[in-house]
Structures are given as structure tokens and as C-alpha cells.
Amino acid sequence: MKESILYFTENSINYLFDLQEKFCRNPRDVASFVYGITDEMNKVGLMMIKETLEYMDHLIRINPKRKELWYVEKISEKQLITSLGAVSFKKTLYTNKKTGEMKYLLDDVMGLLPHERMTEDAQAKMLEEAVQTSYKRAGDNTSVSAGVSKQTVKNKLHLLKFPTEQKAREKKVVDYLFIDADEDHVSLQFNNKKGDLCCGENGRKNNCHIAKLAYVYEGIEKETPSSKRHRLINPHYFSSESLSENNGKFWERVFDYIEDNYDIDHIKKIYINGDGGQWIKGVNQYREGVVYVLDEFHLNKYVKKMTGHMKDSAEDVRCEIRNVIKTRSKSAFKELSDTLESYTVEANVINRIREGRDYILSNWDAAKVRLKKCDAIHGCSAEGHVSHVLSSRMSSRPMGWSQVGADKMASLRVYYYNRKDMLELVRYQRSELAKASGNEEMYLHHRKVMESFDFERGELGKYSDAINHHLSLQKRKQVYFSRQINIW
């Protein structure tokens, strides 16, 4: 640490004062002032990171227990990308005296995988960018002064695993819950490898991937007391994982979340708003007591299809159609449809009337619930949410995906909109990889070490503080780090 501190005192302080002086001469050039400070602080920060890593490697090298089990193979210069920039530092490769295994022990202490080039903070920054823009920009913005390729970003995305929903400590009590559901249609470049897309009967490639979206919320409220705009109350989003789950498993995740976070016995009704898709209205196969409500946008769309040829009297006929749906039977609605057909001889108009009739009949009960408009029922915002949550990143611009990439990006978008922490997601990957490789015990050890620090702070209190106070900073660092390398 001496070099970085020496550099700061001998160079950085004078440089920062010079920046101040220049800014005072030209107060309009605030950008140069800010950029200059940022660059200099980054330089000092990278120097401190380099020295700290090499110091930790040195402590491992002189550790007596390490000498019993491992011998030094070689010292190599490696590069590690952090969110602050790329750090080049020296670290030691060791060979196990019993097994012959070779590894960089510093990587073990830091929780880095073999050949890992990015720190957790850099990966979190990469995901924060990838979820909103492109792989290319995510790679470029992974670090302040260094980047990674878009292929690296893609590879990281494809390997992501997402944690299961956590149970709430205290369940919420609400009278009604709402679920809105819809899907986005995403274009595929290929399924698993390039060239594996098949062509349909029309000669076009079957490259449409359906990304499902559902979200649970407690109702709507005005954005401000005087606003005409509304927002959802406590929304929570879910996307489909089409490669690993069917409709039943998807809805099971949704209702598991509801059971884990809400007092089910107190809920009077759960309403689900949708456009009539089979995967949405089939929810009652997996959960009884859910009331399906037809999306008002799609209901109006098909009512207009049936009345487009009525010209000046179209609005009166639309009111009549809605009234028949609301208060009468399917047979009365069919009679009204036949009457509408009698007013035209054009085949395309008749087809539109029959299309609207069939759609409404197939969603008859849901259309009735929508038009009755009881106090608890309100509009469906699924179209807008699909646009914001999925389409804006996945389909609103010309782009192609693989099935894995589409699924992972949809899950990452949902993770982001659920306001989850990207750094926690990166750390979750480490814990999953530790379990998969059989190193869970080692992973848990590091957590126990940190917990022991907290225990000492709580149990020993002032005695621990008093001891630390009389130790030099250098000795304290050695004591803390020695606990971390006690795994050998």
C-alpha cells in the first residue's frame, strides 16, 4: 500500500490542486474539472487494488500452514477486470504436495473461478447494462477503463441461474389480488445452433418464440392525488422459462409466490386479466377459484370488427352488443350476430363479423365479468407492461435470439423490474457453482468467517476494539486475512 499512498501524496494532491486552480480560472469548464478528478481517483484506486492483491498473495506465500500442504510452482502476472478498470498484478501458482493439484490459492480466497477475469462488481455492472441495452454496450461499459467482448456478455447471460422467490417474514392481508398476463413474440436466429430452424407450410421459417409475462399486484392507485395516470400497487413480475417448464409449472410459481407472501384465507377473489390466450384462461386447471376477466382492449377490438360496416349507427350497435353480452345469453348474442350479417353481402365483412362472434363466444364468461365492472375490477395493463418489460429490449427493434438467450434475457428483465440487486445475482452464481462442484463447504466457510467477525464484535465488544486499537494497521490486516486462508 506504500506505493499508492506515496503516489497520492507526491503526485495526486498537487494534481488535484492544479485542477482546482484551472477550474477557478475558467468556472465554465466544470466538465474538465470533474473528468480530471475522476481519472486521477481511478488511477489511485487501481494502484491500491493491485497492491492489496499482491499483498494478500504474499501473506498466503509466507503462511506456515500453506507451506505444509502446497509448494510454489511459479509467480505469474495476471489481469483482473474490475468496475474501476483492468488491474495487472502478480499472483502465485501452487501445487498440492499430496494430490499434485495446481491452483492459484488467492483465487480460492477471493472466490474466483479458474480463469475468471472479472470481479463480482464488474459482472454486476455488465448485467445492469445488458438488461437495458445491447451485449456490445454491456461489454464496453463493464469497466471504466476496460471492457469485454459481446460474446463474453452473451456467454455469461446464457449461464445465469436465478434464485427462487423468498418467503415473506410476515404475510400481507388484502381483500383482492390481480394477475395480468400476456406474451411477447420474439424472433429467433436459431433454436440451439445456427441453421436448425425449420420452414412451415408457407415456406417461412418457424422463428417465433413466445415469452410469457404475468404479474401479481394488489390494485391500482393514482401516481399523485391530482394525476389522471395510475400505477400498480406492489407489482411482482414472472416470465416463462420455456425450455424447462410448461404452463402448469409457470402458474405454480406464480401461485407459490402468492401463498408465500399473502394471507390466502383473507383474500376474497383473485382476478386474472388476459386476452383470451389458451395458456391464460387455462389457469383454472391449475388453481381453482380464480376469476378470469377478458382484457377490455381485445373485447372492444372484436366488437369494432363486428360493427365496422355499420357507419353512422356503429356506436349504437356496439352499445347493443355490450348490453347483450352483459345481460343476456349466448343464443341472443348469436341472433344479434346473424342480424349484423344480414346487413351486408361482402364476404370480408361477414368474415370479420364471424371472427368477432367466435372470439367473444370462446371468452363468454370472461367478457361478462369485464362488462359487469364490479368495484374490484379495473382495466388491464398487460399490453403496456409487455412493451416495457420485454418488447423494449427483445422485439421492438430488429434483432434475433437463441431460445436460451431469449429465456435468460426475459428472466433478467423480470429480475430487474422486480428491483432485485444484480450484485446479489452474481453472488448467487458463485454459490450455485460451489454446490455443483462439491465446494459448498469451502463457500460456506468464508461466510462463517465473516459471521465470526460479527460474533466477536457483538460478544467481545469493547475488548475486541481495545485489542485492535493497540495493533498497527499492518498487523490487523494480517490477522483478518489469516482467518480467510485457514481453509488449508
Side-chain angles (χ1 to χ4, degrees):
M1 298 289 280
K2 291 181 180 179
E3 289 184 17
S4 59
I5 294 172
L6 190 63
Y7 174 85
F8 183 78
T9 54
E10 292 183 354
N11 298 280
S12 297
I13 292 176
N14 291 332
Y15 177 72
L16 293 175
F17 282 143
D18 287 343
L19 286 176
Q20 270 188 327
E21 183 180 351
K22 289 179 182 178
F23 181 52
C24 290
R25 288 177 184 172
N26 183 13
R28 292 180 180 274
D29 192 11
V30 65
S32 296
F33 182 51
V34 174
Y35 286 152
I37 292 174
T38 302
D39 291 344
E40 188 64 19
M41 292 298 99
N42 283 352
K43 187 185 295 184
V44 174
L46 290 173
M47 289 180 66
M48 290 189 70
I49 294 170
K50 169 186 166 67
E51 289 180 18
T52 304
L53 292 174
E54 291 181 346
Y55 176 67
M56 291 164 66
D57 190 70
H58 168 72
L59 291 180
I60 294 173
R61 200 160 52 245
I62 64 173
N63 182 268
K65 193 164 186 179
R66 190 280 303 165
K67 293 178 180 179
E68 293 176 11
L69 302 173
W70 302 80
Y71 65 81
V72 174
E73 187 69 35
K74 65 177 180 178
I75 298 176
S76 307
E77 179 137 353
K78 298 292 181 180
Q79 187 181 74
L80 193 62
I81 295 176
T82 72
S83 58
L84 201 60
V87 179
S88 294
F89 66 103
K90 293 178 180 178
K91 66 177 178 180
T92 309
L93 178 66
Y94 299 92
T95 300
N96 189 290
K97 293 180 178 180
K98 293 182 179 179
T99 65
E101 178 190 9
M102 298 174 67
K103 67 165 63 174
Y104 293 96
L105 297 181
L106 179 60
D107 289 352
D108 269 4
V109 176
M110 294 175 63
L112 295 176
L113 299 173
H115 311 296
E116 181 65 78
R117 293 179 55 238
M118 284 192 288
T119 57
E120 291 178 337
D121 55 296
Q123 293 183 57
K125 193 171 181 180
M126 178 188 72
L127 293 177
E128 286 168 0
E129 187 69 36
V131 76
Q132 298 181 69
T133 57
S134 65
Y135 291 166
K136 178 67 168 61
R137 288 192 63 178
D140 292 343
N141 292 306
T142 295
S143 171
V144 172
S145 58
V148 298
S149 68
K150 61 182 180 181
Q151 184 66 39
T152 299
V153 179
K154 174 189 167 184
N155 293 343
K156 289 287 185 183
L157 178 78
H158 282 206
L159 293 174
L160 282 180
K161 295 182 182 295
F162 294 87
T164 55
E165 298 291 340
Q166 297 296 312
K167 293 184 179 181
R169 293 182 179 178
E170 185 176 349
K171 294 186 177 182
K172 297 180 183 179
V173 178
V174 296
D175 291 332
Y176 299 96
L177 270 183
F178 304 89
I179 306 171
D180 288 3
D182 204 351
E183 69 271 352
D184 188 23
H185 296 268
V186 180
S187 296
L188 296 179
Q189 285 184 322
F190 52 87
N191 289 314
N192 300 308
K193 60 181 181 179
K194 290 185 178 180
D196 66 356
L197 293 176
C198 300
C199 292
E201 295 178 358
N202 57 5
R204 295 182 179 178
K205 287 183 178 179
N206 294 325
N207 66 337
C208 182
H209 172 85
I210 294 178
K212 299 170 187 170
L213 178 73
Y215 49 96
V216 178
Y217 59 104
E218 298 164 17
I220 61 173
E221 63 183 1
K222 289 186 176 183
E223 290 185 347
T224 62
S226 58
S227 175
K228 293 182 180 180
R229 295 175 63 87
H230 292 79
R231 63 187 173 198
L232 305 183
I233 301 173
N234 297 326
H236 192 86
Y237 301 89
F238 300 85
S239 68
S240 59
E241 299 169 0
S242 62
L243 295 179
S244 60
E245 68 177 5
N246 54 27
N247 290 339
K249 289 184 179 179
F250 174 75
W251 287 119
E252 183 180 340
R253 282 198 292 125
V254 174
F255 289 108
D256 282 348
Y257 167 80
I258 292 174
E259 290 179 0
D260 290 342
N261 289 273
Y262 294 93
D263 184 349
I264 296 294
D265 296 332
H266 192 275
I267 297 175
K268 296 176 182 177
K269 281 280 195 321
I270 298 177
Y271 293 101
I272 178 164
N273 296 296
D275 61 3
Q278 289 297 327
W279 71 274
I280 302 173
K281 63 184 182 183
V283 68
N284 284 313
Q285 299 175 27
Y286 315 109
R287 184 76 179 199
E288 295 180 357
V290 178
V291 179
Y292 174 52
V293 185
L294 187 61
D295 175 9
E296 193 166 14
F297 170 81
H298 287 86
L299 176 58
N300 289 337
K301 172 184 172 181
Y302 285 96
V303 168
K304 288 180 180 179
K305 270 194 173 188
M306 296 176 68
T307 58
H309 63 293
M310 299 302 292
K311 297 184 179 179
D312 293 343
S313 58
E315 191 55 45
D316 293 333
V317 178
R318 288 167 193 164
C319 291
E320 179 62 21
I321 290 175
R322 294 189 188 99
N323 185 57
V324 169
I325 295 171
K326 181 179 177 180
T327 61
R328 300 179 66 183
S329 63
K330 286 185 178 181
S331 58
F333 177 72
K334 290 177 183 177
E335 289 176 9
L336 180 56
S337 300
D338 293 339
T339 303
L340 289 175
E341 285 188 33
S342 67
Y343 284 97
T344 183
V345 293
E346 296 181 35
N348 62 333
V349 175
I350 292 173
N351 287 336
R352 285 201 301 270
I353 294 171
R354 290 177 180 176
E355 184 184 353
R357 177 198 65 193
D358 293 343
Y359 176 82
I360 292 170
L361 287 174
S362 65
N363 295 281
W364 183 256
D365 292 335
K368 272 186 172 293
V369 176
R370 166 60 61 193
L371 292 175
K372 285 181 180 177
K373 293 184 178 178
C374 70
D375 291 341
I377 295 175
H378 49 72
C380 173
S381 58
E383 291 279 339
H385 278 84
V386 166
S387 176
H388 285 292
V389 178
L390 298 180
S391 302
S392 61
R393 176 65 178 89
M394 301 178 67
S395 63
S396 64
R397 295 290 183 273
M399 61 182 71
W401 302 82
S402 66
Q403 280 199 352
V404 173
D407 277 346
K408 296 298 185 180
M409 180 54 72
S411 297
L412 188 63
R413 293 283 292 180
V414 161
Y415 186 88
Y416 172 78
Y417 273 91
N418 283 333
R419 300 182 180 181
K420 300 291 184 66
D421 189 345
M422 290 298 178
L423 181 57
E424 290 301 315
L425 180 61
V426 172
R427 288 174 174 167
Y428 179 75
Q429 311 309 306
R430 299 287 171 88
S431 65
E432 289 298 295
L433 286 169
K435 292 175 187 176
S437 62
N439 291 326
E440 184 178 9
E441 185 176 342
M442 182 181 293
Y443 176 80
L444 291 174
H445 167 82
H446 293 294
R447 291 180 60 186
K448 288 178 180 178
V449 168
M450 298 310 297
E451 288 171 3
S452 72
F453 287 131
D454 294 336
F455 174 79
E456 286 185 6
R457 297 282 297 178
E459 294 294 315
L460 301 180
K462 62 181 180 180
Y463 302 107
S464 176
D465 290 338
I467 293 170
N468 287 337
H469 180 72
H470 289 92
L471 289 175
S472 68
L473 174 62
Q474 196 74 1
K475 289 294 183 184
R476 291 204 303 272
K477 289 188 293 186
Q478 290 181 18
V479 170
Y480 294 148
F481 190 71
S482 294
R483 298 187 182 189
Q484 295 289 340
I485 62 177
N486 204 28
I487 56 177
W488 307 307

